[in-house]
Amino acid sequence: MPRAKTGTVTGASLEKSYRGKKGGLTGSKRVTGETSTPIAETATEAVLEPNPETTAQPTPSSVVEKLQEIANGTSNAIEKGAQAVSTIQRYTSKIAQTVQGTDQDRNPSALTDGKVNTSEILARASADIDESIPQMDSGTATQRNIVIARQRNFVGVAINNTRLKQDLATLDNEQKKLIGMLIDGKTLDVNNEKKAVGYHRAVVGRDIEISKLEQDRELLTQQQIRTEGTQNQTELIREQEVLKVAKMREDIEKQGYEIQAVQYEKEKIKQETEAKFTAGF
């Protein structure tokens, strides 16, 4: 079965003034007064139902049921996608509100592990034409493409909103980096001040040691004076000792004379006593 050509959906094709005109689906300026089939006029009224007026042959009921199943599957997929987008929005909002939380909340691995299972994705991919998939005419495709385009608008806005929150999270991270750099600068200032304090303490310690050195020098001078005085006393002490020895000799000699005098007196008394006894006294 040959495929029907599909048109391009633009913003101009959604305006009522261009509906049903040639070139209206693409928003072309070469819009003539020719009217087309009433398929585009009823685009918003029959979005998911096939239009029998635009088909070359009547659509079998099995095909209608298949199209309905595809439409339901597409609707479910879109609903699940919207739920996923809403979940991501809530999570990114949570990140924005808990920017001062744990590192795990700000860790990208909390959102994804950063890995893509390529083999699993390619295992489900196929380039073969599935004959079981039904075809549809351009009018019905246009109608459904309009719905899909509007749904894409919703998804696009949700994606942009999510990216905006990602930018806010990035801005918050950059601000935290700035705060960290400022803290690092203040820390360096404090470390420099500590080094300056250590330098001044070293200067004071040096001055203390210099003062002790000067004190030791003074003590050395005083000790040298005492040594010199002691040295000067040595000769005097020697003379004093010599005089002491001379005095001791004089005392000994005097004592010898005194002993001799006592002996003389003793001898005198003895002789007088003997003379008296001899004289008959």
Side-chain angles (χ1 to χ4, degrees), residues 141-251:
T142 302
Q143 296 170 10
R144 299 191 178 184
N145 284 332
I146 292 173
V147 176
I148 293 174
R150 292 175 179 174
Q151 292 172 341
R152 284 182 180 274
N153 290 336
F154 169 80
V155 175
V157 171
I159 291 174
N160 289 334
N161 192 21
T162 302
R163 289 176 178 173
L164 173 62
K165 291 180 173 61
Q166 292 175 355
D167 293 338
L168 290 175
T170 302
L171 175 61
D172 180 72
N173 291 335
E174 294 300 326
Q175 289 177 345
K176 285 182 172 59
K177 290 180 182 179
L178 174 61
I179 294 173
M181 294 177 66
L182 294 175
I183 293 174
D184 290 339
K186 295 296 183 182
T187 303
L188 291 176
D189 291 338
V190 173
N191 290 334
N192 290 336
E193 291 176 358
K194 288 172 63 179
K195 291 180 180 179
V197 171
Y199 166 75
H200 290 300
R201 291 185 61 188
V203 171
V204 172
R206 180 201 63 186
D207 294 341
I208 290 174
E209 295 301 323
I210 292 174
S211 177
K212 289 181 179 180
L213 176 60
E214 292 177 353
Q215 184 178 6
D216 292 339
R217 286 176 178 174
E218 293 296 328
L219 293 174
L220 176 61
T221 302
Q222 295 176 7
Q223 185 64 36
Q224 289 176 348
I225 293 172
R226 291 190 185 92
T227 302
E228 185 178 358
T230 302
Q231 291 175 349
N232 294 331
Q233 292 175 7
T234 302
E235 188 64 27
L236 297 176
I237 292 173
R238 181 179 293 109
E239 293 178 1
Q240 184 180 12
E241 293 299 324
V242 171
L243 294 176
K244 285 182 179 180
V245 172
K247 182 177 182 298
M248 291 177 62
R249 287 177 179 174
E250 293 295 332
D251 291 339

Side-chain angles (χ1 to χ4, degrees), residues 97-139:
Q97 294 176 359
T98 59
V99 293
Q100 295 181 351
T102 61
D103 293 337
Q104 184 177 1
D105 293 332
R106 297 192 295 270
N107 193 336
S109 63
L111 300 176
T112 177
D113 57 0
K115 297 180 181 178
V116 178
N117 194 342
T118 307
S119 60
E120 183 178 358
I121 294 174
L122 295 178
R124 297 194 300 267
S126 175
D128 298 333
I129 297 176
D130 190 354
E131 298 294 341
S132 63
I133 300 176
Q135 302 181 16
M136 97 175 38
D137 58 274
S138 301

Side-chain angles (χ1 to χ4, degrees), residues 258-273:
E258 290 178 351
I259 292 172
Q260 290 178 2
V262 171
Q263 290 177 351
Y264 175 78
E265 291 292 333
K266 178 181 176 184
E267 185 66 26
K268 180 180 179 182
I269 294 171
K270 179 181 177 182
Q271 291 177 2
E272 288 178 355
T273 303

